[in-house]
Amino acid sequence: MAPTLLSITTLLSLSVIHAVASSVWTLNCAPLLQARLDPIKQPGVWPSSHVHAVVGSTAFAQHMIGVSSGKATTCDKATDHSNYWSPTLYHMRSDGQYDLLPFTGMVAYYQNYTCSHSSMNPGYCPSTPRDAQAFPPGLRMLAGDSDRRTLNKTDQWQQAILLESGNNGEVYGMPPRLDGSRISGHVRFPSCWDGKNLDSPDHKSHMAYPDPVLHGDTQGGMCPLSHPVALLNIGAEFGWSLNGITDPGSLVFANGDTTGYGFHADFFMGWENPTALQDSFANCMTNDNCPWRKFGSPTGMDPNPISQTPDVLPPLENIGLSGPVGKLPGNNAVFKGHSKRYARGV
Ligand SMILES: *[C@@H]1O[C@H](CO)[C@@H](O)[C@H](O)[C@H]1NC(C)=O
Ligand SMILES: *[C@@H]1O[C@H](CO)[C@@H](O)[C@H](O)[C@H]1NC(C)=O
């Protein structure tokens, strides 16, 4: 994660004041499935426009509309029955076919860095305490824009989308160098809620990022008046193995995006015990050693996330799991304009 001024400030204050609670913990999730399903943008529809890489609750299915109640989860916190998904990634071969790259799962950083709007004290959001709330049951949201192929760095919704290969640093758009081993797509979900709607027609407008005028950035700060309620802040990182591929120009996301600016992700809230989620930061002095107990790990240790079989198997389609495919599933056009691809990120 690229440290922002806010997180550096928070880390500094954590290191000098030992009594404060930790404000980040990590969720690790194994892959669940890859399929053309999107129960937020295209509920009840198969096939959706492009192949998604999905982690989390085994309830994930095209008809999933209520709060999910899956049999199991691919995440290491047993009570997290949420789903998280992004477009998956292909390699364009010299023979014109497409190899599906191995999806390795998702790591998400849960942070308590956002504070609710205060008209009494606009702009005052001390590094601790924040007052983020657990997600309301049934919340759905989308970060990023599948149709985007250019970059506007002053737009917070675009600042929230970054890619990284190996440990070469996060950049906007497709990384200029690939390390040949792995690439990840990073999405910072919005953490300010309008306090009323669990979803909205574009799946975004019921949510917002902390207000830049009130010292907010995508990672934290004070919420705007329009979306006054601070929720937990999720930074999600979806990963793929590169199998030795080093040419960034040979990668294409399942939506046809070669720029990386169209990377996006969805969150479908399914935490089974919102109270445990609400308490997850309380009295935890160091990163990560508390949530395991609070989320029901019998040993108090970090269990390994494990792959699971979906409760309802997705419809069969050859998306490339057993060899190259002749076109992107959905016949999505591969974007050819590369002029801004190498714009540097943070
Ligand atoms: C965030 O931290 C504050 C105190 O620092 C606490 O009151 C609040 O419950 C925390 N939120 C969550 C969701 O843990
Ligand atoms: C870039 O984003 C900012 C903030 O959302 C917006 O005000 C501006 O109009 C955008 N610029 C372009 C060229 O779209």
Side-chain angles (χ1 to χ4, degrees):
M1 304 296 291
T4 63
L5 190 57
L6 178 82
S7 57
I8 290 168
T9 312
T10 307
L11 289 172
L12 286 177
S13 60
L14 279 175
S15 61
V16 288
I17 310 163
H18 296 285
V20 301
S22 168
S23 35
V24 55
W25 50 259
T26 312
L27 176 77
N28 290 287
C29 304
L32 175 71
L33 58 85
Q34 295 180 85
R36 280 206 287 153
L37 291 174
D38 190 343
I40 290 183
K41 249 187 135 173
Q42 296 176 280
V45 173
W46 186 84
S48 68
S49 61
H50 52 266
V51 179
H52 288 120
V54 186
V55 303
S57 172
T58 56
F60 183 88
Q62 74 203 73
H63 292 290
M64 189 173 78
I65 46 166
V67 177
S68 84
S69 56
K71 294 195 178 105
T73 175
T74 69
C75 298
D76 63 357
K77 308 290 183 291
T79 51
D80 187 10
H81 283 237
S82 304
N83 283 111
Y84 309 78
W85 62 94
S86 78
T88 200
L89 187 61
Y90 287 87
H91 169 234
M92 297 184 277
R93 296 156 50 113
S94 50
D95 67 2
Q97 300 191 85
Y98 300 83
D99 284 320
L100 180 66
L101 291 176
F103 173 49
T104 56
M106 184 200 76
V107 179
Y109 299 94
Y110 268 70
Q111 298 177 332
N112 186 0
Y113 282 172
T114 303
C115 59
S116 296
H117 186 83
S118 160
S119 48
M120 297 286 290
N121 218 344
Y124 181 67
C125 184
S127 54
T128 58
R130 311 287 185 187
D131 64 347
Q133 297 177 19
F135 304 110
L139 185 77
R140 275 155 260 185
M141 61 177 154
L142 171 61
D145 180 348
S146 184
D147 295 330
R148 186 159 293 290
R149 301 290 180 265
T150 57
L151 175 66
N152 174 354
K153 277 193 202 176
T154 57
D155 181 334
Q156 282 183 303
W157 289 86
Q158 298 184 44
Q159 290 167 4
I161 307 296
L162 294 156
L163 298 178
E164 179 168 22
S165 177
N167 293 316
N168 289 332
E170 294 177 300
V171 293
Y172 291 121
M174 198 58 83
R177 284 184 305 281
L178 299 180
D179 77 341
S181 83
R182 59 175 270 115
I183 187 168
S184 52
H186 302 182
V187 169
R188 173 73 51 182
F189 283 99
S191 55
C192 297
W193 180 41
D194 69 7
K196 296 185 212 88
N197 298 296
L198 297 175
D199 200 356
S200 50
D202 63 358
H203 313 291
K204 292 180 181 177
S205 45
H206 58 310
M207 299 295 298
Y209 288 96
D211 192 336
V213 177
L214 305 177
H215 307 290
D217 62 21
T218 60
Q219 291 202 42
M222 185 172 280
C223 288
L225 181 59
S226 59
H227 296 76
V229 183
L231 299 182
L232 287 173
N233 190 319
I234 307 176
E237 305 189 359
F238 295 79
W240 291 266
S241 296
L242 284 170
N243 286 344
I245 295 160
T246 53
D247 175 13
S250 71
L251 298 184
V252 60
F253 285 100
N255 54 352
D257 179 24
T258 49
T259 67
Y261 300 136
F263 193 70
H264 57 280
D266 293 68
F267 170 69
F268 196 120
M269 155 67 181
W271 281 92
E272 281 188 334
N273 186 342
T275 311
L277 183 60
Q278 182 68 51
D279 289 346
S280 60
F281 289 94
N283 304 315
C284 293
M285 296 307 159
T286 57
N287 179 23
D288 281 350
N289 72 353
C290 284
W292 320 123
R293 291 185 186 85
K294 296 183 185 215
F295 297 137
S297 164
T299 58
M301 302 284 288
D302 173 6
N304 286 322
I306 42 174
S307 292
Q308 306 280 353
T309 306
D311 299 346
V312 179
L313 289 177
L316 277 181
E317 179 183 32
N318 180 10
I319 60 163
L321 283 167
S322 53
V325 287
K327 54 188 170 58
L328 293 175
N331 207 10
N332 295 320
V334 174
F335 183 74
K336 305 282 189 210
H338 285 169
S339 55
K340 293 185 177 171
R341 197 178 71 209
Y342 294 141
R344 292 299 299 216
V346 286

